[in-house]
Amino acid sequence: MQVYMGSCETSAQACRHKSSGNGCENCEVRPISVCSALSIHELAEMEALSQHLRLDKGQALFGQDEAAGAVYNVIEGSLRLSRLLPDGRRQVMGFVFPGDFLGLAPQERHSVSAEALAPVRACRFERRHFNELVGTKPHLLM
């Protein structure tokens, strides 16, 4: 998994490159995502919390039983949600597409794995910071 900030790479900083055209205000999935509930000012607050991710086909966004410490908004591409059964078979639980948010369930660990079916771009938000944002803007999840 690669983490990007607008047009430059990073591993731990938020995306703040509004001039790059990659900001939340210009996001192509905003109209179909939970972000659409936010004003331009509120979007700036959300953008300050985000990290941009890029996955290649076959890379995992997260694995089954991993700690669920972040939420994700898929911007481009698709992911397969699956889980391994006790007998070693993989059960496909669903698919994720642009505009979908992942990780909103209040569980401590992921019950499924999320694997890129094609190149994926997503925004990542630390769960604690995202929950604080929702606490001050409950209309975000309505």
Side-chain angles (χ1 to χ4, degrees):
M1 173 175 29
Q2 299 172 341
V3 181
Y4 289 85
M5 270 183 40
S7 60
C8 58
E9 296 182 36
T10 186
S11 60
Q13 295 181 345
C15 178
R16 294 187 176 89
H17 293 281
K18 292 181 183 180
S19 62
S20 70
N22 292 330
C24 291
E25 186 175 346
N26 298 315
C27 179
E28 58 265 25
V29 298
R30 179 175 172 233
I32 60 171
S33 184
V34 298
C35 306
S36 65
L38 299 177
S39 69
I40 299 302
H41 174 72
E42 292 170 325
L43 277 175
E45 291 179 58
M46 187 168 185
E47 184 173 5
L49 303 176
S50 71
Q51 297 174 323
H52 288 199
L53 307 177
R54 291 184 188 261
L55 299 174
D56 292 325
K57 179 180 178 178
Q59 281 188 292
L61 182 61
F62 53 79
Q64 181 177 336
D65 294 325
E66 286 183 5
V71 297
Y72 306 89
N73 184 17
V74 178
I75 299 170
E76 180 180 289
S78 58
L79 298 115
R80 174 180 49 223
L81 303 178
S82 63
R83 65 181 182 167
L84 290 177
L85 301 175
D87 63 5
R89 292 180 298 149
R90 179 173 56 187
Q91 180 180 20
V92 176
M93 304 299 292
F95 298 92
V96 179
F97 301 101
D100 290 341
F101 253 77
L102 285 168
L104 294 175
Q107 58 199 32
E108 297 282 327
R109 305 192 85 61
H110 293 290
S111 61
V112 297
S113 295
E115 179 185 350
L117 296 173
V120 168
R121 286 190 310 126
C123 289
R124 179 185 185 278
F125 304 91
E126 288 291 329
R127 181 186 293 263
R128 179 175 57 93
H129 299 296
F130 186 80
N131 288 341
E132 289 170 1
L133 182 70
V134 170
T136 62
K137 292 155 187 42
H139 58 283
L140 178 62
L141 295 182
M142 294 186 161

